[in-house]
Amino acid sequence: RTLCPGPLDESGDGAKRHAQFYLIICNFCNRISSSQLNMLQMTKKFILTPDGLKNLKQEYEELVYTKKPAVVARIQRAREFGDLAENSEYDAAKEEQTLVETRIAALEDVLKKAQIIEPVTKADFVIIGSKVVVEMNDEVHEFAIVGSMEADPSKNKISNESPVGKALLGLK
């Protein structure tokens, strides 16, 4: 009845395949621990187009060089008001600092694990980077299949990990 394999092998090319298999089986068994999930997330690559990479780098630089110093300045000003126990300005600035620091850490992780794909001009089947035309209810929709970090349905960019994206991948 136990389907979960042993500990992950962190070396070699087989580690990624092992990690993916492990996640599928353990989720099926509902027996995955948080430490095992964290280990699997460490192997995840983030698929980005060159534009997506550029946008994430710009966001990262804005956070590090503009927003983070501004939040630190807000915290320092709020400290000058005195009693921190009843200082709502200080609490709000500390909360904003947490949000900024969390986003910076997430972006660092994404940029470190980014896998860049070039936009596809012509392919026989749908892959990440493809633009696809779908006809639904007598309406024609055009979508770009992108990685999860770039997905934005309002701009007709759908994730390769979404149900629609998964259904389209591999079709002719």
Short mmCIF file of all heavy atoms in Angstrom, two decimals, residues 109-168:
data_model
loop_
_atom_site.label_atom_id
_atom_site.label_comp_id
_atom_site.label_asym_id
_atom_site.label_seq_id
_atom_site.Cartn_x
_atom_site.Cartn_y
_atom_site.Cartn_z
N ASP A 109 14.26 34.09 -5.81
CA ASP A 109 14.12 32.66 -6.06
C ASP A 109 13.75 32.40 -7.53
O ASP A 109 14.34 31.54 -8.18
CB ASP A 109 13.05 32.07 -5.13
CG ASP A 109 12.98 30.56 -5.21
OD1 ASP A 109 14.04 29.91 -5.17
OD2 ASP A 109 11.86 30.03 -5.32
N VAL A 110 12.81 33.17 -8.05
CA VAL A 110 12.39 33.01 -9.43
C VAL A 110 13.54 33.33 -10.38
O VAL A 110 13.81 32.57 -11.33
CB VAL A 110 11.16 33.89 -9.75
CG1 VAL A 110 10.88 33.94 -11.24
CG2 VAL A 110 9.95 33.40 -8.99
N LEU A 111 14.23 34.43 -10.15
CA LEU A 111 15.32 34.83 -11.05
C LEU A 111 16.47 33.82 -11.01
O LEU A 111 17.11 33.58 -12.03
CB LEU A 111 15.81 36.23 -10.69
CG LEU A 111 14.79 37.34 -10.94
CD1 LEU A 111 15.29 38.68 -10.38
CD2 LEU A 111 14.45 37.47 -12.41
N LYS A 112 16.70 33.23 -9.85
CA LYS A 112 17.76 32.23 -9.71
C LYS A 112 17.41 30.94 -10.46
O LYS A 112 18.27 30.29 -11.02
CB LYS A 112 17.99 31.93 -8.22
CG LYS A 112 19.10 30.96 -7.94
CD LYS A 112 19.41 30.86 -6.45
CE LYS A 112 18.17 30.52 -5.67
NZ LYS A 112 18.40 30.24 -4.26
N LYS A 113 16.12 30.60 -10.50
CA LYS A 113 15.67 29.34 -11.11
C LYS A 113 15.00 29.54 -12.47
O LYS A 113 14.32 28.65 -12.95
CB LYS A 113 14.69 28.64 -10.16
CG LYS A 113 15.30 28.24 -8.84
CD LYS A 113 14.26 27.65 -7.95
CE LYS A 113 14.80 27.33 -6.58
NZ LYS A 113 13.76 26.81 -5.71
N ALA A 114 15.19 30.70 -13.07
CA ALA A 114 14.52 31.01 -14.33
C ALA A 114 15.06 30.17 -15.47
O ALA A 114 16.27 29.96 -15.59
CB ALA A 114 14.68 32.49 -14.66
N GLN A 115 14.15 29.70 -16.29
CA GLN A 115 14.49 29.00 -17.54
C GLN A 115 13.87 29.84 -18.65
O GLN A 115 12.65 29.94 -18.74
CB GLN A 115 13.93 27.59 -17.54
CG GLN A 115 14.22 26.83 -18.81
CD GLN A 115 13.65 25.42 -18.77
OE1 GLN A 115 13.25 24.92 -17.73
NE2 GLN A 115 13.60 24.80 -19.93
N ILE A 116 14.72 30.43 -19.49
CA ILE A 116 14.25 31.36 -20.51
C ILE A 116 13.89 30.58 -21.77
O ILE A 116 14.66 29.74 -22.24
CB ILE A 116 15.34 32.41 -20.85
CG1 ILE A 116 15.86 33.06 -19.57
CG2 ILE A 116 14.79 33.44 -21.83
CD1 ILE A 116 14.81 33.66 -18.69
N ILE A 117 12.70 30.89 -22.30
CA ILE A 117 12.27 30.28 -23.56
C ILE A 117 12.05 31.40 -24.58
O ILE A 117 11.60 32.48 -24.23
CB ILE A 117 10.97 29.46 -23.40
CG1 ILE A 117 9.85 30.32 -22.81
CG2 ILE A 117 11.20 28.22 -22.57
CD1 ILE A 117 8.49 29.85 -23.18
N GLU A 118 12.39 31.12 -25.78
CA GLU A 118 12.18 32.09 -26.86
C GLU A 118 10.76 31.94 -27.40
O GLU A 118 10.24 30.83 -27.47
CB GLU A 118 13.20 31.86 -27.97
CG GLU A 118 14.63 32.14 -27.56
CD GLU A 118 14.87 33.58 -27.11
OE1 GLU A 118 14.29 34.51 -27.71
OE2 GLU A 118 15.63 33.76 -26.15
N PRO A 119 10.14 33.06 -27.78
CA PRO A 119 8.81 32.97 -28.39
C PRO A 119 8.87 32.11 -29.65
O PRO A 119 9.83 32.17 -30.41
CB PRO A 119 8.46 34.41 -28.73
CG PRO A 119 9.35 35.24 -27.86
CD PRO A 119 10.60 34.43 -27.63
N VAL A 120 7.84 31.32 -29.86
CA VAL A 120 7.78 30.40 -30.99
C VAL A 120 7.14 31.11 -32.17
O VAL A 120 6.08 31.71 -32.04
CB VAL A 120 6.97 29.14 -30.61
CG1 VAL A 120 6.86 28.20 -31.78
CG2 VAL A 120 7.60 28.45 -29.43
N THR A 121 7.80 31.03 -33.33
CA THR A 121 7.21 31.63 -34.52
C THR A 121 6.40 30.62 -35.31
O THR A 121 5.35 30.94 -35.84
CB THR A 121 8.31 32.23 -35.43
OG1 THR A 121 9.27 31.21 -35.73
CG2 THR A 121 9.00 33.39 -34.76
N LYS A 122 6.87 29.39 -35.37
CA LYS A 122 6.15 28.35 -36.12
C LYS A 122 6.43 27.01 -35.46
O LYS A 122 7.57 26.65 -35.24
CB LYS A 122 6.64 28.36 -37.57
CG LYS A 122 6.02 27.33 -38.46
CD LYS A 122 4.76 27.87 -39.09
CE LYS A 122 4.30 26.86 -40.15
NZ LYS A 122 2.92 26.65 -40.15
N ALA A 123 5.37 26.29 -35.14
CA ALA A 123 5.53 24.95 -34.56
C ALA A 123 4.37 24.09 -35.04
O ALA A 123 3.29 24.60 -35.35
CB ALA A 123 5.55 25.01 -33.05
N ASP A 124 4.60 22.80 -35.09
CA ASP A 124 3.55 21.87 -35.53
C ASP A 124 2.56 21.56 -34.43
O ASP A 124 1.48 21.05 -34.68
CB ASP A 124 4.18 20.57 -36.03
CG ASP A 124 4.97 20.79 -37.32
OD1 ASP A 124 4.66 21.75 -38.05
OD2 ASP A 124 5.90 20.00 -37.57
N PHE A 125 2.94 21.84 -33.19
CA PHE A 125 2.06 21.58 -32.06
C PHE A 125 2.29 22.65 -31.00
O PHE A 125 3.28 23.38 -31.05
CB PHE A 125 2.27 20.16 -31.51
CG PHE A 125 3.70 19.86 -31.19
CD1 PHE A 125 4.21 20.11 -29.92
CD2 PHE A 125 4.54 19.31 -32.14
CE1 PHE A 125 5.52 19.84 -29.62
CE2 PHE A 125 5.86 19.02 -31.85
CZ PHE A 125 6.35 19.29 -30.58
N VAL A 126 1.37 22.75 -30.06
CA VAL A 126 1.40 23.79 -29.04
C VAL A 126 2.45 23.46 -27.98
O VAL A 126 2.45 22.37 -27.41
CB VAL A 126 0.02 23.96 -28.37
CG1 VAL A 126 0.07 25.01 -27.29
CG2 VAL A 126 -1.04 24.31 -29.41
N ILE A 127 3.35 24.41 -27.75
CA ILE A 127 4.36 24.31 -26.70
C ILE A 127 4.36 25.62 -25.92
O ILE A 127 3.69 26.59 -26.32
CB ILE A 127 5.76 24.01 -27.27
CG1 ILE A 127 6.18 25.10 -28.27
CG2 ILE A 127 5.81 22.65 -27.93
CD1 ILE A 127 7.60 24.96 -28.79
N ILE A 128 5.11 25.67 -24.85
CA ILE A 128 5.22 26.92 -24.09
C ILE A 128 5.88 27.95 -24.99
O ILE A 128 6.90 27.69 -25.61
CB ILE A 128 6.02 26.71 -22.80
CG1 ILE A 128 5.33 25.68 -21.92
CG2 ILE A 128 6.20 28.02 -22.05
CD1 ILE A 128 6.13 25.24 -20.73
N GLY A 129 5.28 29.11 -25.08
CA GLY A 129 5.75 30.17 -25.96
C GLY A 129 4.90 30.29 -27.21
O GLY A 129 5.01 31.27 -27.95
N SER A 130 4.02 29.31 -27.45
CA SER A 130 3.15 29.34 -28.63
C SER A 130 2.02 30.33 -28.43
O SER A 130 1.57 30.57 -27.32
CB SER A 130 2.52 27.97 -28.88
OG SER A 130 3.47 27.01 -29.19
N LYS A 131 1.56 30.88 -29.56
CA LYS A 131 0.32 31.65 -29.58
C LYS A 131 -0.70 30.75 -30.24
O LYS A 131 -0.45 30.20 -31.32
CB LYS A 131 0.48 32.95 -30.34
CG LYS A 131 1.37 33.93 -29.62
CD LYS A 131 1.30 35.29 -30.24
CE LYS A 131 2.31 36.18 -29.56
NZ LYS A 131 1.78 37.31 -28.93
N VAL A 132 -1.85 30.59 -29.60
CA VAL A 132 -2.88 29.69 -30.11
C VAL A 132 -4.17 30.46 -30.32
O VAL A 132 -4.47 31.41 -29.61
CB VAL A 132 -3.12 28.49 -29.16
CG1 VAL A 132 -1.88 27.63 -29.05
CG2 VAL A 132 -3.55 28.95 -27.79
N VAL A 133 -4.92 30.02 -31.31
CA VAL A 133 -6.23 30.60 -31.59
C VAL A 133 -7.26 29.53 -31.26
O VAL A 133 -7.20 28.41 -31.76
CB VAL A 133 -6.35 31.03 -33.07
CG1 VAL A 133 -7.74 31.56 -33.36
CG2 VAL A 133 -5.29 32.07 -33.39
N VAL A 134 -8.22 29.90 -30.40
CA VAL A 134 -9.26 28.97 -29.95
C VAL A 134 -10.62 29.55 -30.31
O VAL A 134 -10.88 30.73 -30.05
CB VAL A 134 -9.16 28.74 -28.42
CG1 VAL A 134 -10.25 27.82 -27.95
CG2 VAL A 134 -7.79 28.22 -28.04
N GLU A 135 -11.47 28.72 -30.89
CA GLU A 135 -12.82 29.16 -31.21
C GLU A 135 -13.77 28.54 -30.19
O GLU A 135 -13.84 27.33 -30.03
CB GLU A 135 -13.21 28.73 -32.62
CG GLU A 135 -14.53 29.31 -33.06
CD GLU A 135 -14.86 28.96 -34.49
OE1 GLU A 135 -13.96 28.92 -35.33
OE2 GLU A 135 -16.06 28.73 -34.75
N MET A 136 -14.49 29.43 -29.48
CA MET A 136 -15.46 28.98 -28.47
C MET A 136 -16.74 29.80 -28.65
O MET A 136 -16.68 31.03 -28.70
CB MET A 136 -14.93 29.21 -27.05
CG MET A 136 -13.69 28.43 -26.71
SD MET A 136 -13.13 28.65 -25.00
CE MET A 136 -12.97 30.41 -24.84
N ASN A 137 -17.86 29.12 -28.73
CA ASN A 137 -19.16 29.79 -28.83
C ASN A 137 -19.17 30.85 -29.94
O ASN A 137 -19.60 31.99 -29.72
CB ASN A 137 -19.55 30.43 -27.50
CG ASN A 137 -19.61 29.43 -26.38
OD1 ASN A 137 -19.90 28.26 -26.59
ND2 ASN A 137 -19.29 29.88 -25.17
N ASP A 138 -18.69 30.49 -31.11
CA ASP A 138 -18.64 31.39 -32.26
C ASP A 138 -17.77 32.63 -32.03
O ASP A 138 -17.93 33.64 -32.71
CB ASP A 138 -20.05 31.82 -32.69
CG ASP A 138 -20.87 30.64 -33.17
OD1 ASP A 138 -20.27 29.70 -33.75
OD2 ASP A 138 -22.10 30.65 -32.98
N GLU A 139 -16.90 32.58 -31.05
CA GLU A 139 -15.96 33.67 -30.79
C GLU A 139 -14.55 33.12 -30.94
O GLU A 139 -14.27 32.00 -30.56
CB GLU A 139 -16.13 34.23 -29.38
CG GLU A 139 -17.44 34.94 -29.14
CD GLU A 139 -17.55 35.48 -27.72
OE1 GLU A 139 -16.52 35.56 -27.02
OE2 GLU A 139 -18.66 35.81 -27.31
N VAL A 140 -13.66 33.94 -31.47
CA VAL A 140 -12.27 33.55 -31.65
C VAL A 140 -11.42 34.26 -30.60
O VAL A 140 -11.53 35.48 -30.42
CB VAL A 140 -11.78 33.91 -33.08
CG1 VAL A 140 -10.32 33.58 -33.24
CG2 VAL A 140 -12.62 33.19 -34.11
N HIS A 141 -10.62 33.47 -29.89
CA HIS A 141 -9.74 34.01 -28.85
C HIS A 141 -8.31 33.60 -29.16
O HIS A 141 -8.06 32.47 -29.56
CB HIS A 141 -10.12 33.46 -27.47
CG HIS A 141 -11.53 33.75 -27.08
ND1 HIS A 141 -11.90 34.96 -26.54
CD2 HIS A 141 -12.65 33.01 -27.15
CE1 HIS A 141 -13.20 34.93 -26.29
NE2 HIS A 141 -13.68 33.77 -26.66
N GLU A 142 -7.38 34.52 -28.96
CA GLU A 142 -5.97 34.22 -29.16
C GLU A 142 -5.28 34.27 -27.80
O GLU A 142 -5.45 35.24 -27.05
CB GLU A 142 -5.31 35.21 -30.11
CG GLU A 142 -3.87 34.84 -30.42
CD GLU A 142 -3.25 35.74 -31.48
OE1 GLU A 142 -3.98 36.25 -32.34
OE2 GLU A 142 -2.02 35.90 -31.43
N PHE A 143 -4.54 33.23 -27.48
CA PHE A 143 -3.83 33.13 -26.21
C PHE A 143 -2.35 32.87 -26.47
O PHE A 143 -2.00 32.25 -27.46
CB PHE A 143 -4.36 31.96 -25.36
CG PHE A 143 -5.80 32.08 -24.97
CD1 PHE A 143 -6.76 31.32 -25.61
CD2 PHE A 143 -6.18 32.93 -23.95
CE1 PHE A 143 -8.09 31.40 -25.25
CE2 PHE A 143 -7.51 33.02 -23.58
CZ PHE A 143 -8.47 32.25 -24.23
N ALA A 144 -1.53 33.30 -25.54
CA ALA A 144 -0.12 32.92 -25.52
C ALA A 144 0.05 31.98 -24.34
O ALA A 144 -0.45 32.25 -23.24
CB ALA A 144 0.77 34.14 -25.36
N ILE A 145 0.73 30.86 -24.56
CA ILE A 145 1.02 29.92 -23.48
C ILE A 145 2.35 30.33 -22.86
O ILE A 145 3.38 30.36 -23.56
CB ILE A 145 1.11 28.46 -23.99
CG1 ILE A 145 -0.11 28.08 -24.83
CG2 ILE A 145 1.33 27.50 -22.84
CD1 ILE A 145 -1.41 28.03 -24.08
N VAL A 146 2.33 30.69 -21.59
CA VAL A 146 3.52 31.17 -20.90
C VAL A 146 3.69 30.42 -19.58
O VAL A 146 2.81 29.66 -19.17
CB VAL A 146 3.43 32.70 -20.62
CG1 VAL A 146 3.41 33.49 -21.91
CG2 VAL A 146 2.22 33.04 -19.77
N GLY A 147 4.80 30.65 -18.91
CA GLY A 147 5.02 30.06 -17.59
C GLY A 147 4.12 30.71 -16.56
O GLY A 147 3.53 31.78 -16.77
N SER A 148 4.02 30.09 -15.40
CA SER A 148 3.09 30.54 -14.37
C SER A 148 3.40 31.94 -13.84
O SER A 148 2.49 32.66 -13.44
CB SER A 148 3.06 29.54 -13.21
OG SER A 148 4.35 29.43 -12.63
N MET A 149 4.65 32.37 -13.86
CA MET A 149 5.01 33.69 -13.35
C MET A 149 4.55 34.82 -14.27
O MET A 149 4.41 35.95 -13.84
CB MET A 149 6.52 33.80 -13.13
CG MET A 149 7.03 32.95 -11.99
SD MET A 149 6.28 33.33 -10.40
CE MET A 149 6.74 35.02 -10.15
N GLU A 150 4.33 34.51 -15.54
CA GLU A 150 3.92 35.54 -16.51
C GLU A 150 2.43 35.51 -16.82
O GLU A 150 1.95 36.37 -17.55
CB GLU A 150 4.67 35.35 -17.82
CG GLU A 150 6.12 35.73 -17.77
CD GLU A 150 6.76 35.57 -19.13
OE1 GLU A 150 6.57 36.47 -19.98
OE2 GLU A 150 7.41 34.55 -19.34
N ALA A 151 1.73 34.53 -16.32
CA ALA A 151 0.32 34.38 -16.66
C ALA A 151 -0.47 35.63 -16.28
O ALA A 151 -0.31 36.17 -15.20
CB ALA A 151 -0.26 33.15 -15.96
N ASP A 152 -1.30 36.07 -17.22
CA ASP A 152 -2.17 37.22 -17.01
C ASP A 152 -3.35 37.09 -17.97
O ASP A 152 -3.28 37.52 -19.12
CB ASP A 152 -1.41 38.52 -17.26
CG ASP A 152 -2.24 39.75 -16.92
OD1 ASP A 152 -3.45 39.62 -16.62
OD2 ASP A 152 -1.66 40.86 -16.95
N PRO A 153 -4.44 36.46 -17.51
CA PRO A 153 -5.58 36.23 -18.39
C PRO A 153 -6.14 37.51 -19.02
O PRO A 153 -6.63 37.48 -20.14
CB PRO A 153 -6.62 35.58 -17.48
CG PRO A 153 -5.82 34.95 -16.39
CD PRO A 153 -4.64 35.86 -16.19
N SER A 154 -6.02 38.65 -18.34
CA SER A 154 -6.53 39.89 -18.91
C SER A 154 -5.72 40.32 -20.14
O SER A 154 -6.20 41.09 -20.95
CB SER A 154 -6.52 41.01 -17.87
OG SER A 154 -5.18 41.36 -17.52
N LYS A 155 -4.50 39.81 -20.27
CA LYS A 155 -3.66 40.09 -21.43
C LYS A 155 -3.56 38.87 -22.35
O LYS A 155 -2.66 38.78 -23.17
CB LYS A 155 -2.27 40.52 -20.98
CG LYS A 155 -2.25 41.83 -20.23
CD LYS A 155 -0.86 42.21 -19.81
CE LYS A 155 -0.89 43.51 -19.03
NZ LYS A 155 0.45 43.83 -18.51
N ASN A 156 -4.47 37.90 -22.15
CA ASN A 156 -4.52 36.67 -22.95
C ASN A 156 -3.24 35.84 -22.84
O ASN A 156 -2.83 35.19 -23.79
CB ASN A 156 -4.85 36.96 -24.41
CG ASN A 156 -6.26 37.45 -24.58
OD1 ASN A 156 -7.14 37.13 -23.78
ND2 ASN A 156 -6.50 38.24 -25.59
N LYS A 157 -2.62 35.87 -21.68
CA LYS A 157 -1.46 35.03 -21.39
C LYS A 157 -1.89 34.00 -20.36
O LYS A 157 -2.24 34.38 -19.24
CB LYS A 157 -0.30 35.86 -20.84
CG LYS A 157 0.29 36.83 -21.83
CD LYS A 157 1.45 37.57 -21.21
CE LYS A 157 2.12 38.49 -22.20
NZ LYS A 157 3.29 39.14 -21.62
N ILE A 158 -1.91 32.74 -20.76
CA ILE A 158 -2.34 31.70 -19.82
C ILE A 158 -1.18 30.78 -19.48
O ILE A 158 -0.30 30.52 -20.29
CB ILE A 158 -3.56 30.90 -20.36
CG1 ILE A 158 -3.26 30.26 -21.70
CG2 ILE A 158 -4.78 31.78 -20.46
CD1 ILE A 158 -4.37 29.36 -22.18
N SER A 159 -1.21 30.32 -18.25
CA SER A 159 -0.13 29.50 -17.71
C SER A 159 -0.15 28.11 -18.31
O SER A 159 -1.21 27.52 -18.53
CB SER A 159 -0.28 29.40 -16.19
OG SER A 159 0.57 28.41 -15.67
N ASN A 160 1.04 27.58 -18.51
CA ASN A 160 1.17 26.19 -18.95
C ASN A 160 0.69 25.23 -17.87
O ASN A 160 0.41 24.08 -18.14
CB ASN A 160 2.62 25.89 -19.32
CG ASN A 160 3.56 26.00 -18.13
OD1 ASN A 160 3.58 27.01 -17.43
ND2 ASN A 160 4.36 24.98 -17.92
N GLU A 161 0.58 25.71 -16.63
CA GLU A 161 0.15 24.87 -15.51
C GLU A 161 -1.35 24.95 -15.26
O GLU A 161 -1.88 24.19 -14.46
CB GLU A 161 0.91 25.27 -14.24
CG GLU A 161 2.41 25.05 -14.36
CD GLU A 161 3.18 25.55 -13.15
OE1 GLU A 161 2.55 25.92 -12.13
OE2 GLU A 161 4.42 25.59 -13.22
N SER A 162 -2.04 25.88 -15.94
CA SER A 162 -3.49 26.02 -15.76
C SER A 162 -4.20 24.88 -16.49
O SER A 162 -3.63 24.26 -17.39
CB SER A 162 -3.96 27.36 -16.32
OG SER A 162 -3.91 27.35 -17.74
N PRO A 163 -5.44 24.58 -16.11
CA PRO A 163 -6.18 23.52 -16.82
C PRO A 163 -6.28 23.77 -18.32
O PRO A 163 -6.10 22.85 -19.12
CB PRO A 163 -7.56 23.54 -16.15
CG PRO A 163 -7.31 24.08 -14.79
CD PRO A 163 -6.20 25.09 -14.96
N VAL A 164 -6.55 25.01 -18.74
CA VAL A 164 -6.65 25.32 -20.16
C VAL A 164 -5.28 25.16 -20.82
O VAL A 164 -5.15 24.58 -21.90
CB VAL A 164 -7.22 26.72 -20.40
CG1 VAL A 164 -7.16 27.11 -21.86
CG2 VAL A 164 -8.64 26.83 -19.87
N GLY A 165 -4.25 25.68 -20.17
CA GLY A 165 -2.91 25.57 -20.71
C GLY A 165 -2.47 24.12 -20.87
O GLY A 165 -1.92 23.74 -21.91
N LYS A 166 -2.74 23.32 -19.86
CA LYS A 166 -2.41 21.89 -19.93
C LYS A 166 -3.16 21.21 -21.06
O LYS A 166 -2.61 20.35 -21.76
CB LYS A 166 -2.74 21.20 -18.61
CG LYS A 166 -1.77 21.49 -17.50
CD LYS A 166 -2.18 20.77 -16.23
CE LYS A 166 -1.27 21.09 -15.08
NZ LYS A 166 -1.66 20.44 -13.83
N ALA A 167 -4.43 21.58 -21.24
CA ALA A 167 -5.24 20.95 -22.29
C ALA A 167 -4.73 21.34 -23.69
O ALA A 167 -4.80 20.53 -24.61
CB ALA A 167 -6.70 21.37 -22.14
N LEU A 168 -4.21 22.55 -23.84
CA LEU A 168 -3.74 23.00 -25.14
C LEU A 168 -2.35 22.48 -25.51
O LEU A 168 -2.05 22.28 -26.68
CB LEU A 168 -3.74 24.54 -25.20
CG LEU A 168 -5.11 25.21 -25.19
CD1 LEU A 168 -4.96 26.72 -25.04
CD2 LEU A 168 -5.88 24.87 -26.46
#
